[in-house]
Structure formats: C-alpha cells, structure tokens
Amino acid sequence: MWFIRLLGAATLAILIAAPAGAQPVDDARMRAADSDPANWLLHGRDYGARRFSPLAEVNAGTVKRLVPKWIYQTGYAATFQTTPLVADGVMYLSAPFSHVIAIDAATGRERWRYEHKARAKKLCCGPGNRGVALGYGKVFVATVDARLVALDQASGKPLWDVALVEDAGAPAPTEDALALNAADAAKTVSGSTGVGASAAPLVYDGKVVVGITGVGYGLHLDSDRPGAPLGAVVGVAGRYGRPGFLAAFDAATGARVWSFDSTVKDWEGAFVETTAYGARLPRDVAAEKASAPDHRDAWRYGGGSIWHAPAYDPERGLLFLGIGNPSPQAASESRPGDNLHTSSLVALDAKTGRLVWAYQQVPHDLWGYDVASPPSLFTVEVDGRRVAAVGQASKLGWYFVHDRETGRLLFKSEPYIPQSNMFQAPTPEGAVIAPGVGGGVNWSPASVDPARGVGYVAAMHWPARYSVRTLPAQGDKPELRYFTIEPEKEGMYGLVSAIDLARGGKLLWTRKTPEPLVGGVLATAGGLVFTGEGGGDLVALDARTGDPLWRFNCGAGVNAPPMTYAVDGRQYVAVAAGGSQIWGFRQGGAVIGFGLADAP
C-alpha cells in the first residue's frame, strides 16, 4: 500500500514539474482543489477541510533532510495563527492584526503587502487571524475589528471593505461588573468585549462567507506573571452582547446575501437533562423553567461565536460549522434552557443560510465547551453502507462523526485526552475538571486521510478549576455572584492522536508532548503528520506509529497549522511561528518554508 502511494506521488510530481503560470482561482478550480497537488487554495486545502496533501517528496525516508529554504518576517511579534494559501507559486497569508501579504512561495520574497488600519478602539479577541481566502481575482480577509475586505490578488489594492457589524469596538455592559471581579482576583483585564473576526473566509458560488467572534462574553483575566498563560475566565449573569452569526456576501460587491444567527427565539429547547450521547448534566430544570418567563429575550444576547471557516459539500449544497458557547460564559442563571444552537455542530443550506440540522454537543453549556475546531468531510462505512459523513474534533475529547445529510450521530471516538469530573457544576471550593475550558481540541484544525480512513488531532490536557464566588455588597453596590474558570498551573501536556475512522473511532496511537498543543495538524501521502509545539518545534511524526522522525526549532511558538505545496516539482512545508499570548507561548512573526536539503 505504501509503495503504491509513493509511486502515485511520484507521478504527481511529474505532472506538476512544469509551471503552467497563474490560472484564475474560480469555482471550478476550487471544487477541484483536492486533486491539485501543487497548490493549497482553501483554508482546509479542499472544500472538505481535510488538510491532507497527496504530495510525498517529503516522506518518512526523506524527512531527515528537511531544512529551511526561506524565512519571511512579518514585522509583528504577536499571536500568529494563519494558514497560508498558495496559488501558482505565490503564497498569500494574514499576519497578526489582519494585515495581508503576498510572497514568492519558492523564495519567501515579498510581492505586496496590505496594512489593515483597525477602526475599533478595543479588539475583543486579540490580534490573531487564521487566514485569507482566494477567488475571482481577489484575496478576502475578515479582520480583527469585524470587517470583510476584498483585495486585488495581483497588487493587494483594496477593492471593497464592508462592516460585519456597526459597533465592533463598543464595550459591552459587562465591563463595569466584571472589572469588580478582576480587582477581586488581583489580575489584569485583557478581554473579551466587542465583536471581531478571526476565522478565514470561505468562497464558493460567487459568495464569501465568514462568522464573527467575541460574543461569548466571559472576561479574560491575565496571569499574574509575564509570559504565562491565561489567568482565568470570569462570567456574570446578565444581558450582554448579541448573537453570533455566519453571513454570506457577494464576492463582487460586498453586499450581504444572507445571515444565519447562532441563537434562535425558542432557544430554551426541551430542557434536556442528558446530552444526546447520554452524559448527565447538572441542571435544576424546575428552577430553569420557573425563571424562563423573566428571560424570554435572553436569546437576543445569546453569544455563539464562529471560530473557523465552514466545510462545504457542493453536491448537497451544505455548509458545516461549529458554534461557540452561550453568553454569558459560565454564568447560566440569566439563560435558562438548552441555549440553542450554541455549542453545536450545524449544517446550513449554502444558498440561503437556512438551518438544515443541528447537533448540540453541550446543552446549557457551563464549561466553555464550544465547537471550535473546523469539521471535515469524508466517507465511512456503517452497517455495510457507505455514508457521507462530517467529523469534528471536540473540546470534550471525543471525535464526533455524523451523517452529513441528517446530522445523526454515527459514532464518537475513544477519548483522545484524559476525562475526569466532566459536566460537574462549579462549586465554592472549586471543581477541577478535565478537559478544561481549553479542551480537548481547541480551535486547532484536524487532518483526515480519506484513503486510509484515519483522522489526526492535536489536543491538550489542561484541567481547570470551576468555581462560584460571591463579591460582598459594597456601599450602593449589591452583592455580586460570579463564576471563574482557572486553568491549573501544573500537570498540563499535549497529545497527538490518530483515530481509526473506518473502525468506529478507535485510537491507533497517541504521542505525548511536553506542552499543550494549539495550532493543528497536517497529514501527507508521504506517511507524515506535521504539528507545531509551543516551545517552538515543528515536528514530523510517522503517520503509522506516531514515532517522531524530525523536528526543527523555529524560535517562537509554532501555534499555527502547517501546510504544504509544490513549486517547480519540489515540495515545501510552511508554517507560521509566532506563538500565542493567551497560552503563554513565545511570540514572534516569522513564516518559514522548508524543503529537502538536496533540492535547488
């Protein structure tokens, strides 16, 4: 099998050896992206968001000769999460703060640069941006201050610029109340209020779709020491913010075509006491129902950020995406009910944005278990029948696999991280729960090898302490009840896992890393799985065993997904090395392109 794969990859190398010049990135080309080995045209490489490349010049036998071929410095040392795109020898990437750059994919030399000037006074969700989209001669970027910008692909000149929301930089009403909690915890406030966008857009059928972030409304408190990870998340009950949404815009003009809100008017749902997969929830349903009449409009402030680009099924005309946690985070008294469709995987009609189905992983979420990692599309066999499936690597520690057409859960994997005290309510003493607020798999994209039926995930074991606290009345300020989620300071680590999607989600192997993993994975036909570590290493693992075969230290945290492409028949692997403030990993601003040492 492996010999046949390598032989096929050699044939692909011959096919891509002669450069054909720049070709339009149109609908036909994007639909065929999976069969285009040289280029990486979409955020997840193909519409199925599988992040699997058929390239194999860099393989288990040659990877030891992988060396840096070029380094591009963006000039910004800040949280760096981009997946670069490559089309016909040119790389397009978003830098921190939503700047966009085009560089020569073989040399790393800059071709053009767009400097984004944010209009919001305060960024809700930090400087990280996860990538751009290509299509119809344009480069599209959704910005940290909640705008969607179209640039000329050849020059980087802005063509149009539209607001996703009108009040992106306005502080939320939570600010004053939560500042009390920040003082009580003796920590510095770093967010989150307002609205932004960090996900890469998706382009199809003349439209650009993108979602907003920052509407979960839990305040982030910095650690008490520089360079350390997030200190805590604080939540207070109340009416704060707005619903998240995914919206489609006309790619030619920027006019809005449709919008799907993350929350719905009847978001209370059925007040379920167990999840759809049988886990018991700590809910006082009678009390929730009794308070529901006082909170009929809670859905209008319901949260549900969109943290990733959707996967797209052109044959069925469906988009698949995850929805973030409800607002306010952790504090649930002001949002009785199931809080539909937060913390859910949903399928939308790609033409209209109409909801087709939704699967709520965590009803009435208290733990920040939003569906943050992008789903992938593939086919599985169930009871002797081939089923078009969608899979998603959850914060909960399970990989969920659903029927793409109906949303029916086909199976969930074995846990790929330790699970303990899950779905415990916060206590005054603090309940230590794993996975914590970070997951599991956070926003990090997974990879799927469709031929072998194997999924690869980069996860973290980072327990968190969930507490309920009371701030005593002070003067004319009444007593304030609030919730904190504090990641434990010791005992965290990362895990890369291979999941057998052809056999019901059994784990094939797991590889432990010294630090939690945030950034994502890339799998290739060369039998390799690439992932980055917060300490700065880009690592290549054997796809069959998980054994480490190669590593290179990039000088800053590798907390972005690796990708691969070819120019003139030679394979490159590229990754952003810029770390992450919220996770405490060293920040930088480099993109590094690797190739084999004996290649030109």
Side-chain angles (χ1 to χ4, degrees), residues 7-19 37 55 568-570:
L7 183 62
T11 304
L12 287 172
I14 293 171
L15 292 174
I16 64 176
L55 294 174
D568 295 330
R570 294 293 185 175

Side-chain angles (χ1 to χ4, degrees), residues 178 181-182 184-185 187 191 216-223 229-236 325-326 328-332 335 343 362 364-370 395 421 424-439 442 460 462-469 482-489 582-583:
L178 292 180
N181 308 329
D184 182 62
K187 299 189 186 296
Y217 292 101
L219 196 69
H220 290 181
L221 304 184
D222 289 346
S223 173
L230 173 71
V233 175
V234 175
V236 177
N325 56 265
Q329 188 170 1
S332 63
R335 49 176 176 86
S343 300
V362 186
H364 197 68
D365 184 6
L366 306 177
W367 305 274
Y369 286 151
D370 41 348
K395 278 189 171 184
N421 294 327
Q424 298 296 304
T427 67
E429 301 77 19
V432 177
I433 297 171
V437 66
N442 200 273
M460 66 175 74
W462 199 337
R465 185 176 297 273
Y466 289 71
S467 306
V468 55
R469 299 180 179 178
Y482 65 100
F483 298 83
T484 64
I485 306 173
E486 299 179 81
E488 294 286 271
K489 292 181 170 54
I582 195 170
W583 300 110

